[in-house]
Amino acid sequence: MKTTALSAFIACILLGGVDAADPATALDQQVAAAIKEIQAQQTTIAENQVKIDAKLVTVGEAVRIARIYSSRGGH
């Protein structure tokens, strides 16, 4: 899925408006911009994953404590 989206994104850039004066430079600039955007997205995804992992640990601990208290309740 990710490679398909990435391929489509790069294809759109390559087929997009390329400057007629110097196509190689314009293309290089577009590719560099696309790479920077993808790197920024990957950084954001990695940061979000760290936050998700931390929240899962917190929820897991809350569930563990709730089980301890419920077992001591003496139903």
Side-chain angles (χ1 to χ4, degrees):
M1 176 77 175
K2 290 181 183 180
T3 56
T4 304
L6 179 61
S7 298
F9 180 73
I10 291 174
C12 288
I13 289 174
L14 294 176
L15 296 175
V18 176
D19 189 11
D22 192 2
T25 303
L27 183 61
D28 288 342
Q29 290 174 350
Q30 288 178 345
V31 170
I35 289 171
K36 286 181 182 179
E37 183 178 341
I38 291 170
Q39 287 174 336
Q41 289 175 357
Q42 288 176 336
T43 301
T44 303
I45 289 169
E47 290 169 354
N48 287 341
Q49 187 63 46
V50 168
K51 291 177 186 177
I52 289 169
D53 291 342
K55 287 182 181 182
L56 283 174
V57 168
T58 303
V59 169
E61 181 64 16
V63 168
R64 186 185 73 82
I65 291 171
R67 285 182 179 166
I68 290 170
Y69 284 131
S70 69
S71 70
R72 292 181 183 175
H75 288 283

